[in-house]
């Protein structure tokens, strides 16, 4: 009978879903979901009550020496001050080890500044700072009554006229004279007159191809030049930041030296303050 009882189909009990009229409110909350939300809410309530009791029973005169070495950062978190961290490092490593580490840092920063200065000088020597007007070229607008074919024909005719004018200028240039034998007695080298003669006439298609190649070359040169200017600007900005850090580290190192000192000027524009030491007679 048990096998027959299992063969009979039973009613499947399904969870109640959200009614269609309330579907805009989202899924229907089940008891397990409510239990999690309730436990989280009561946990926060108990925590707030404990914090309120602790604040109410706090002693306003309570003080510890460690409070001098602690602070609250901008995120509201409690942390040690930079001075306390440095003192802990000095106690762990020793004053001599800390001084050696700072000396190595100073040497590294000086090397970075020197390297950037040399690179800037080489870039400034190779660049001429004439890139401001090279990116924009003069343009000429032509208004043609016909269609695209007529416009291209007019453009080709104008290009041919410009090429003809350049050839006439080359033809009008005077050629150097030589002696009857073909060589000059005063010149050390023979003159190649074929290089001074105008080049053979080229087809419009060849001239157009040469102009495109020249425009492509100019574009690549302008791109490389602008990249060099950007590199120069970035190196100059980085060198300024490194020099400020170097000035702070040198001031901190000088403060550890012996002798009476006084502050001459406060730090301005992100630079460290200026101190003056009392003169001491050398033995």
């Amino acid at each position: 009978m048990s096998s027959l009882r299992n063969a009979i189909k039973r009613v499947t009990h399904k969870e109640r879903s959200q009614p269609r009229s309330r579907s805009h409110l989202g899924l229907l909350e089940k008891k397990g979901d409510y239990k999690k939300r309730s436990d989280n809410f009561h946990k926060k309530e108990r925590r707030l009550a404990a914090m309120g009791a602790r604040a109410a029973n706090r002693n306003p005169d309570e003080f510890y020496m460690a409070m001098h070495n602690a602070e609250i950062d901008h995120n509201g978190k409690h942390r040690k001050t930079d001075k306390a961290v440095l003192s802990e490092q000095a106690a762990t490593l020793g004053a001599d080890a800390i001084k050696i580490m700072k000396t190595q840092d100073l040497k590294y920063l000086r090397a970075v500044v020197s390297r950037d200065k040399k690179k800037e000088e080489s870039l400034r020597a190779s660049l001429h700072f004439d890139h401001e007007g090279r990116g924009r070229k003069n343009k000429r607008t032509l208004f043609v009554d016909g269609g695209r074919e007529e416009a291209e024909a007019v453009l080709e005719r104008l290009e041919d006229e410009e090429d003809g004018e350049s050839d006439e200028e080359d033809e009008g240039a005077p050629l150097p004279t030589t002696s009857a034998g073909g060589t000059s007695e005063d010149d050390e080298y023979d003159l190649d007159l074929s290089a001074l003669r105008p080049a053979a006439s080229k087809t419009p298609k060849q001239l157009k191809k040469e102009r495109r190649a020249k425009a492509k070359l100019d574009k690549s040169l302008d791109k490389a030049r602008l990249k060099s200017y950007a590199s120069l600007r970035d190196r100059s900005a980085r060198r300024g930041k490194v020099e400020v850090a170097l000035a702070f580290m040198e001031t901190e190192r000088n403060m550890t030296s012996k002798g009476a000192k006084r502050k001459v000027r406060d730090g301005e524009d992100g630079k460290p303050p200026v101190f003056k030491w009392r003169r001491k007679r050398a033995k």
Side-chain angles (χ1 to χ4, degrees):
M1 291 295 291
S2 61
S3 60
L4 183 62
R5 188 184 302 113
N6 294 334
I8 300 173
K9 187 178 180 180
R10 299 177 184 178
V11 179
T12 303
H13 298 280
K14 299 180 180 180
E15 291 185 350
R16 179 173 176 265
S17 61
Q18 185 76 282
R20 184 174 299 175
S21 59
R22 294 172 56 86
S23 60
H24 63 281
L25 299 175
L27 298 175
L28 183 65
E29 187 180 35
K30 303 300 187 294
K31 184 175 181 180
D33 302 329
Y34 166 76
K35 183 65 175 173
K36 290 180 181 179
R37 186 166 57 85
S38 177
D39 292 344
N40 188 25
F41 176 75
H42 291 302
K43 181 179 179 181
K44 291 179 180 178
E45 269 191 340
R46 291 191 295 270
R47 186 176 181 183
L48 289 174
M51 292 173 66
R54 190 183 303 171
N57 298 328
R58 188 180 72 87
N59 181 13
D61 298 330
E62 185 178 6
F63 175 76
Y64 298 99
M65 293 301 297
M67 292 181 180
H68 287 298
N69 301 327
E71 62 182 2
I72 305 296
D73 60 2
H74 61 280
N75 293 326
K77 294 183 179 180
H78 185 269
R79 69 179 187 88
K80 294 182 180 180
T81 59
D82 297 337
K83 187 177 180 181
V85 173
L86 291 176
S87 62
E88 287 183 359
Q89 291 180 354
T92 304
L93 301 175
D96 296 337
I98 295 294
K99 188 176 293 185
I100 292 173
M101 291 170 62
K102 290 184 177 180
T103 304
Q104 292 176 351
D105 294 341
L106 285 171
K107 290 181 179 179
Y108 172 73
L109 292 180
R110 291 194 186 104
V112 171
V113 171
S114 177
R115 183 184 61 193
D116 287 345
K117 279 185 178 180
K118 291 181 180 179
K119 186 63 177 178
E120 285 181 33
E121 290 176 358
S122 62
L123 286 174
R124 290 182 186 276
S126 61
L127 299 174
H128 304 288
F129 297 94
D130 58 348
H131 63 288
E132 298 177 356
R134 296 182 62 87
R136 302 177 61 183
K137 296 182 179 180
N138 296 331
K139 295 183 179 180
R140 180 170 55 180
T141 305
L142 298 177
F143 297 93
V144 183
D145 295 335
R148 183 180 181 86
E149 295 179 357
E150 187 175 351
E152 291 179 354
V154 173
L155 184 60
E156 290 181 0
R157 186 170 67 252
L158 291 174
E159 291 176 353
D160 294 340
E161 291 177 359
E162 291 178 358
D163 296 336
E165 291 177 358
S166 61
D167 293 342
E168 290 177 359
E169 291 177 358
D170 294 339
E171 291 175 358
L175 297 177
T177 59
T178 59
S179 62
T183 57
S184 176
E185 297 177 356
D186 298 333
D187 297 336
E188 298 179 359
Y189 304 99
D190 295 337
L191 294 176
D192 188 6
L193 301 181
S194 61
L196 300 177
R197 296 194 185 100
S201 59
K202 299 180 181 179
T203 60
K205 189 174 181 181
Q206 291 176 345
L207 295 173
K208 193 174 183 180
K209 188 176 181 181
E210 289 181 359
R211 282 192 294 270
R212 287 182 178 176
K214 186 177 182 301
K216 188 176 181 180
L217 179 62
D218 292 342
K219 187 176 180 180
S220 62
L221 291 176
D222 290 339
K223 188 175 181 181
R225 190 180 297 106
L226 292 176
K227 188 176 180 181
S228 299
Y229 283 116
S231 176
L232 176 61
R233 184 173 59 253
D234 294 342
R235 284 183 179 275
S236 179
R238 185 180 67 177
R239 183 172 60 83
K241 294 180 181 179
V242 174
E243 285 179 348
V244 171
L246 181 61
F248 272 101
M249 293 189 67
E250 287 180 346
T251 303
E252 183 180 356
R253 183 188 178 188
N254 294 333
M255 291 292 292
T256 59
S257 61
K258 298 180 180 180
K261 53 185 175 295
R262 62 184 179 88
K263 184 185 291 187
V264 178
R265 185 172 61 252
D266 294 332
E268 298 177 356
D269 300 332
K271 296 181 180 180
V274 180
F275 292 86
K276 185 176 181 180
W277 273 257
R278 180 182 297 175
R279 291 184 179 180
K280 187 176 181 181
R281 182 178 178 182
K283 295 182 180 179

